[in-house]
Amino acid sequence: MPVIWTEGLTKHFGGRRGGGPVRAVEQLSLEVAEGRAFAFLGPNAAGKTTTIYMLLGLRRPTSGRGEVFGLPLGSAEARRRIGFLPEDMRPKGYYTVEKMLALCGRLHGMSETARAERVERVLSAVGLEEARRRRTSRLSKGMVQRLGLAQALLSDPDLLILDEPTSNLDPVGRRDMIRLLTDLKGEGKTIFVSSHVLSEVESVCDDVAIVARGRLLRQGSLSELAAEAGGYEITTRALGETARDNIAQLGASLESQPNGATVVTAADEATQQRVVAILVEAGHPVLTTGKRQTTLEDVFFQILGEEGR
Amino acid sequence: MRAVFLIAWDQLADFRHRRLVLALLVAAVSLALVLALLAQGMSAVSKRTEFAGKVSDEERMQLQLGVGMGSYMLQTALYLVVFIGGSVVSLATFCGLISTERTRGTLPWVLSKPITRTQFLLGKWVGACAMILLYTAVMFAILIGSTWLTEKSVPARMYYACSVMPFGFLLVGSVGAFLSTLMPPVLAGVVAYFGGAQLFHRLADWAAPWRWLDYLLTGLHYVAPSYDKFNMYLDLLMGKEIPLSRPVVLAAYAVAYSALMFLLTTLVFQRRDVA
């Protein structure tokens, strides 16, 4: 049974006073398996935060349905097993770090001893031990983000939902966050991360969903998407008009490099072989050929580019 | 239930950092203390005997009567300040219960914890009620203390009038809380305070020539909360006895009406996007 499951989840805003409704999320169907690290990616206004809020029951879906741990969206029982870090963490300014965590622990129904033990552990995990008696209004943005993560981790949840976890963090903080997420994944936690910073997500996540304008564009494992987006690369010297046209007709893309070389990207192996044949026939040298090394960023931009077309 | 008390306790801690509520509390208590002291002063003056020989007996009696009346009026004014101040404090307390959290952006992480929205709202409500009780306790002490010092006894009507006050505050506050889910909190406070049954009664009189409007306003008069019944200053001023049944009925009415308001607020809050 997936930890998170949604079917046709839709959220529209407004639309009463002239103009159509804002379609924040449209027919979103997702599945997040247990123990996986799931990256939920998309540009700004893609509907990532709205989706997360619907999973937590903070926003009501316009239509569609979903479950978290087999329970309906917004169920308090499901939230008992969820740790959530909001994108813009805003603690109550008059609490100290320790008192705020104590309040969170009490809301989770933790016993006094369990709470004390967990507070120590999460403060150490996020590096806030020295700020424990500081008022949250006196914390830097990065420290507030760490506190947000601490309160999310406090109840030792089975599912972590993190909305832009590395925003407001300096490079050291980002590195620490990635390490922490990797450790949590190692402990078998299910992690659902929404982020813009693709390189960081790539090092932690197993599965990816890419959304834009509220719609799910692609979902799959990182390796599947990389293979799909990867293709084959052939490097040659500058090409004549005829060769260019012939290659373009195969659906391969050509990119001229500053050093005078041309990189041809073919979608599959058969196209790659045809491109090589055209080059050989036209007397152009084949400098290199092979599978293209793709990053999550390549996948992301390629899928967004396809959507744009 | 534990979660409800946690939220209530958190709400009480929150009030200590809400400037508007604190300013209103300090202003109301200060004004009440000043009036109580003035009433004491006048009462003391009215009992002094050193006028003897300096003024005629008739003038002395008139002077003492006037000052004594003044003291009595001040006692009534004190009651009014406590009543109106309490209503305003209650509105400031109740109307900001959700909107303050929304403005501060704390709702997403608080409501991501395993608590239901009803528990959250009930906790907030209990916290606000505790605040009102605190206010009433302080003002009760000032009012009763001042009356006892002036008259060396406290009539039953004063106890009854005071005991019904927190229910009046609860009533106006709960109406404000409900309205604040539909409109900005300040507007909700104003509408809740002035939109009582009495207003619709007056408007119905004015709208008598237009029958449909008259019917509508008369209907609203019966539906809207009756705050004026909770203000017993006229009975105190006139020295009229208040039967025990009156505060009992009023308390029951306020509790029932507030429960209805809580239910409506919960229904609206359940359906709303909170983040």
Side-chain angles (χ1 to χ4, degrees), chain A residues 52-60 73-74 79, chain B residues 117 274:
Chain A
I52 287 175
Y53 282 171
M54 284 195 284
L55 294 177
L56 291 163
L58 301 174
R59 285 186 186 160
R60 305 289 189 213
L73 298 182
R79 284 203 300 267
Chain B
R117 291 192 191 189
V274 290

Side-chain angles (χ1 to χ4, degrees), chain A residues 11 13 53 56-60 76-77 79-80 82 84 86 88-92 94-95 100 103-111 115 135 151-152, chain B residues 2-3 6-7 9-10 13-15 17 101-117 119 124 269-275:
Chain A
K11 180 68 183 178
F13 292 108
Y53 282 171
L56 291 163
L58 301 174
R59 285 186 186 160
R60 305 289 189 213
E77 208 43 53
R79 284 203 300 267
R80 193 171 293 284
I82 300 175
F84 169 55
D88 183 15
M89 178 68 197
R90 293 205 208 160
K92 299 192 174 195
Y94 47 84
Y95 277 128
M100 175 162 159
L103 171 71
C104 293
R106 286 193 186 104
L107 287 173
H108 268 284
M110 295 166 78
S111 70
R115 201 173 62 231
R135 281 198 175 199
Q151 61 82 31
Chain B
R2 194 165 175 248
L6 271 172
I7 300 287
W9 185 251
D10 175 61
D14 191 279
F15 285 134
H17 303 274
E101 297 275 353
R102 196 186 281 270
T103 315
R104 287 180 184 159
T106 48
L107 281 177
W109 67 263
V110 174
L111 288 176
S112 72
K113 304 294 171 218
I115 50 167
T116 63
R117 291 192 191 189
Q119 283 175 322
K124 293 260 163 202
F269 190 57
Q270 290 284 356
R271 288 163 180 269
R272 285 278 165 88
D273 289 341
V274 290

